[in-house]
Amino acid sequence: MAGGVAKNDQRRLAEVAGLERDRALLGRASTAERVADILRDRITEGYFPPGARLSEESIGGALGVSRNTLREAFRLLTHERLLVHELNRGVFVRVVTVEDLDDIYRVRTLVECAAVRSLGEGPYGDRTTAAIAGIEAAVQAGEAASHDREWQDLSTANIRFHQGIVALAGSPRTDELMRGVLAELRLVFHVMADPRRFHAPYLTRNRQIVEALQAGDAAEAERLLLSYLEDSRSQLSGAYAQHIARD
């Protein structure tokens, strides 16, 4: 795997000039937090895969930010468990462990199920109705991606589905927490060979959950979601453990 990571690292860093398009997002009031937002999105998209080394010189030049600003952004993402600093080697995109993956699912189960449970029995108000509409849009995007055989788009739609579930709580802090948790989860999917295998089977279950929410039946939606997360954790954890063992 080390050789593959090195080649992939070189290819990705050769493409780092693509970050220059993100420079406009920074504006004059560029901050380490905004740089971290950009890098987090790029890591989540797989632009920098797990194990890749992040070059201060290349990334700082592409974004037009100082070394100190970039290092602070690295520190923020290290705190979020997306990056890891290795002494005398540099900063790398983190490789998630099997234990990490199980813990990610524990957090997801606690947060996502609580968000659904908090709704109680419908009918719901405008804010909740709008949030459910966002979940419906994510389900539709997943169905369209599956039809078009765009498996990475399906993965993204599935992440947005779960972000929508958390948004039911109406809590910016919970949204922020889950953004980091789901970004960590994407690190797992980026090293798995077949995203279709891990996302397509859950499309029907996504549809069932959103239909329960639309019907105002939060209890049924939570029951479906809990079963969904338990099955997903078992399937992904087993496959990921085999992958790590091979490498």
Side-chain angles (χ1 to χ4, degrees):
M1 181 177 178
V5 168
K7 290 181 181 179
N8 204 22
D9 189 16
Q10 292 173 1
R11 179 171 64 86
R12 295 291 180 173
L13 292 179
E15 297 171 356
V16 77
L19 286 172
E20 293 174 356
R21 295 191 299 271
D22 293 322
R23 186 184 296 190
L25 298 175
L26 297 175
R28 291 186 177 181
S30 62
T31 64
E33 288 84 0
R34 191 69 191 98
V35 173
D37 286 342
I38 290 172
L39 293 179
R40 184 189 303 104
D41 288 343
R42 290 293 190 161
I43 292 168
T44 301
E45 292 163 3
Y47 187 86
F48 297 114
R53 181 179 178 276
L54 302 188
S55 165
E56 287 186 4
E57 182 177 358
S58 298
I59 294 174
L63 291 176
V65 298
S66 70
R67 178 165 293 184
N68 286 340
T69 295
L70 185 60
R71 286 179 175 176
E72 177 59 23
F74 283 171
R75 281 192 288 270
L76 291 171
L77 295 177
T78 299
H79 180 70
E80 294 179 18
R81 303 173 63 83
L82 295 179
L83 300 180
V84 60
H85 179 267
E86 297 186 10
L87 189 63
N88 298 325
R89 294 193 64 220
V91 175
F92 296 80
V93 178
R94 191 163 167 269
V95 177
V96 175
T97 67
V98 176
E99 292 76 17
D100 291 328
L101 180 57
D102 288 339
D103 193 41
I104 286 169
Y105 269 89
R106 278 193 291 271
V107 173
R108 291 185 65 191
T109 300
L110 287 169
V111 175
E112 293 187 47
C113 289
V116 173
R117 190 183 314 122
S118 69
L119 297 180
E121 188 177 348
Y124 303 122
D126 291 344
R127 183 194 64 76
T128 299
T129 300
I132 293 173
I135 298 171
E136 168 69 28
V139 172
Q140 291 181 8
E143 292 167 343
S146 179
H147 179 271
D148 295 338
R149 303 178 67 84
E150 296 290 347
W151 308 123
Q152 288 301 326
D153 289 346
L154 174 58
S155 174
T156 297
N158 197 47
I159 290 292
R160 288 176 179 166
F161 170 83
H162 290 284
Q163 288 175 323
I165 291 291
V166 175
L168 293 171
S171 167
R173 290 172 178 80
T174 305
D175 291 341
E176 183 177 355
L177 166 67
M178 210 59 185
R179 181 173 63 164
V181 169
L182 293 174
E184 270 195 274
L185 186 62
R186 284 297 286 263
L187 294 181
V188 174
F189 287 122
H190 287 321
V191 300
M192 303 305 287
D194 186 6
R196 175 186 180 183
R197 172 187 172 194
F198 299 104
H199 296 296
Y202 293 93
L203 273 176
T204 300
R205 299 173 80 163
N206 288 355
R207 170 57 64 191
Q208 292 171 340
I209 291 168
V210 76
E211 287 179 353
L213 290 171
Q214 290 166 338
D217 192 348
E220 175 64 6
E222 183 185 359
R223 185 190 68 79
L224 292 169
L225 179 61
L226 179 59
S227 175
Y228 174 122
L229 290 172
E230 289 175 345
D231 290 346
S232 176
R233 184 207 59 78
S234 178
Q235 179 196 26
L236 184 57
S237 181
Y240 191 65
Q242 292 178 3
H243 178 88
I244 294 295
R246 286 197 302 270
D247 294 335

